[in-house]
Amino acid sequence: MISQEDIDRLKSSVSIEKTLAALGCNTAHRGYMYYSPFRDESTPSMSVAYKNGAWQWFDHGTGQGGSNIELVRQLKGCGFREAIAFLWEADGKYIDIKDEQPVHETKHHEKERSLEVTKTSGRFQNLRLIDYIASRGISLELAERYCKEITYTNHNNGKTFTGVGFPNNSGGWVIRSEGFKGTTQSALTTINSQGMHTTEPSSDRVMVFEGYFNFLSWMELNKQLTPPCDVCVLNSTTNVKHATDYISKHEWAEAYLDNDQTGRECLQKIKELNPNTHVWDFSSGYAHHNDMNEYLLDKQKSLGEEPPSLTNQQKL
């Protein structure tokens, strides 16, 4: 059984920086100020401190904070027990908690997931979201093929927002907008060569991406609306183990991962977990860029191409 002592030890031994690294998030910081994992920003706005025998964080942009457990729950969109198991593994240990009965913190942490999608639309109408998609170098036609405009409620503050939603295999959503990134439930996304969301492979080759904007960037660069083979979007490098069953069903795997330490470690794990699949590292194709989306934007700029703009993407 998971004891309160075990929970307190995890809060103390697994730092916020270590938690961010395990989640595949940016760990760069300026002193005690870290770049928020909830949005893209140029100035760090999340403070980290060790108080009362536990690591704590506070996001000055959202007014939210808590322990490393809450950070995992927020970013993975998971429950209390799953967050405990994640931190246990990040600390170099393993625990099977599916039958465990958590201690008295359960009622507080097993509440409704913080992000709840209340409405979806296959057509983007929100001009701010259309502009955001364009700022990532993605055409509206391509975005609408694989994403939806979603309305969601953040139960931490009771407010409702709109975002670009990318569906995953758990029935959850990976949400992105200018200044925000989150998920309702962490899971990978698999797509076949017809562009359909399915867990059944349609070819002997699979392309692996960390995030869905990198997948969309590859499609944009190659002027395609459907991929040439199966696609596996991890949505987080923490899902690499969960992707094993799918990747292992393919003879070849092309990895289009980020050019950073997390991406390299993820590539190594894919190779280790799929020994019967030929895994190829394709990151050299954008070696001077952090990821595929950065490469797309730079290439569009160098070719003098105008990114898909708000004006020319307006619907009739």
Side-chain angles (χ1 to χ4, degrees), residues 15-270:
S15 68
I16 299 300
E17 182 170 343
K18 189 173 184 179
T19 302
L20 289 170
L23 288 164
C25 299
N26 184 10
T27 58
H29 58 96
R30 299 177 186 174
Y32 63 90
M33 295 298 297
Y34 285 68
Y35 291 90
S36 173
F38 299 101
R39 57 189 169 274
D40 296 322
E41 58 184 13
S42 57
T43 302
S45 64
M46 187 177 78
S47 58
V48 171
Y50 187 79
K51 297 180 179 179
N52 302 319
W55 285 100
Q56 298 178 26
W57 59 278
F58 182 79
D59 190 312
H60 295 268
T62 62
Q64 300 176 36
S67 68
N68 49 11
I69 296 174
E70 280 302 311
L71 185 60
V72 173
R73 292 189 69 240
Q74 289 283 338
L75 291 172
K76 287 181 66 65
C78 65
F80 177 69
R81 289 183 290 178
E82 185 180 340
I84 289 292
F86 179 86
L87 288 170
W88 209 286
E89 185 173 349
D91 202 28
K93 302 175 179 61
Y94 173 77
I95 183 172
D96 186 353
I97 60 171
K98 60 179 179 297
D99 297 321
E100 289 280 2
Q101 296 298 318
V103 293
H104 59 79
E105 290 190 66
T106 303
K107 290 184 179 180
H108 171 71
H109 289 285
E110 290 288 6
K111 64 185 179 181
E112 190 174 19
R113 297 185 188 278
S114 59
L115 302 181
E116 180 187 9
V117 174
T118 57
K119 182 181 178 181
T120 65
S121 173
R123 301 285 290 176
F124 283 90
Q125 302 291 336
N126 186 296
L127 299 184
R128 179 180 57 83
L129 292 181
I130 294 174
D131 206 23
Y132 170 67
I133 292 169
S135 74
R136 303 298 296 265
I138 306 301
S139 68
L140 192 59
E141 180 184 12
L142 181 61
E144 288 185 333
R145 190 175 186 92
Y146 295 98
C147 305
K148 292 185 181 298
E149 178 177 304
I150 64 171
T151 302
Y152 64 96
T153 299
N154 187 331
H155 289 290
N156 288 317
N157 54 29
K159 295 182 179 181
T160 298
F161 306 90
T162 56
V164 180
F166 183 68
N168 62 33
N169 288 6
S170 70
W173 295 89
V174 183
I175 307 170
R176 295 289 184 270
S177 63
E178 185 67 38
F180 179 82
K181 53 184 177 181
T183 180
T184 61
Q185 188 172 350
S186 180
L188 56 92
T189 301
T190 52
I191 300 170
N192 68 13
S193 58
Q194 288 75 50
M196 304 296 293
H197 290 269
T198 175
T199 58
E200 293 299 320
S202 62
S203 69
D204 60 359
R205 182 165 62 102
V206 60
M207 297 189 296
V208 183
F209 300 88
E210 286 189 39
Y212 74 84
F213 267 107
N214 288 326
F215 159 60
L216 294 178
S217 296
W218 188 97
M219 299 286 284
E220 192 72 45
L221 282 162
N222 290 276
K223 308 299 182 184
Q224 296 190 35
L225 290 177
T226 55
C229 62
D230 292 331
V231 170
C232 176
V233 182
L234 298 175
N235 293 317
S236 170
T237 55
T238 60
N239 289 324
V240 64
K241 291 184 179 179
H242 301 298
T244 301
D245 287 343
Y246 184 76
I247 294 176
S248 65
K249 294 177 181 178
H250 297 82
E251 183 178 353
W252 304 91
E254 300 176 1
Y256 298 87
L257 306 176
D258 291 2
N259 281 312
D260 56 17
Q261 184 62 30
T262 301
R264 289 187 288 273
E265 291 176 355
C266 183
L267 175 66
Q268 187 58 36
K269 286 183 180 179
I270 292 175

